[in-house]
Amino acid sequence: MHEQRLRCRQVRRALQSYLDGELEHAPAEGVAAHLADCPRCGIDAATLREVIARIRARRPDIDLSALRRTVDALDDLLHDG
Ligand SMILES: [Zn+2]
């Protein structure tokens, strides 16, 4: 029996919080496991992490909500279903 796996879409919704370290331990583990398993989401996560790190390096107090909305819109384009 396979254990229940997170779907790409669920992972994407949790991804920004995961990158911010805002998720509880157990969900973060689930997301990390999915990212290790799924090249598509893993690449996306690496890209997002780099983008956020670069932005925060220049603007530590920046409001990332606009970026998050952009990522959500991209997610809808790239992962339909
Ligand atoms: Zn995935």
Side-chain angles (χ1 to χ4, degrees):
M1 294 285 287
H2 286 292
E3 66 186 52
Q4 181 81 19
R5 287 185 178 276
L6 293 173
R7 298 182 56 204
C8 289
R9 199 164 191 78
Q10 294 174 292
V11 169
R12 296 302 297 253
R13 290 201 189 290
L15 197 52
Q16 286 86 16
S17 295
Y18 169 68
L19 293 174
D20 286 345
E22 291 172 357
L23 289 184
E24 297 298 324
H25 182 65
E29 272 193 348
V31 171
H34 181 96
L35 295 178
D37 261 6
C38 178
R40 185 172 59 185
C41 287
I43 289 169
D44 292 341
T47 302
L48 256 187
R49 185 180 288 123
E50 181 174 342
V51 168
I52 290 172
R54 288 188 184 193
I55 291 171
R56 287 230 165 108
R58 293 169 183 265
R59 296 278 304 278
D61 59 344
I62 195 169
D63 177 2
L64 292 176
S65 59
L67 174 62
R68 291 176 188 215
R69 285 194 297 274
T70 302
V71 170
D72 285 345
L74 284 172
D75 182 34
D76 286 342
L77 285 175
L78 295 173
H79 298 74
D80 55 17

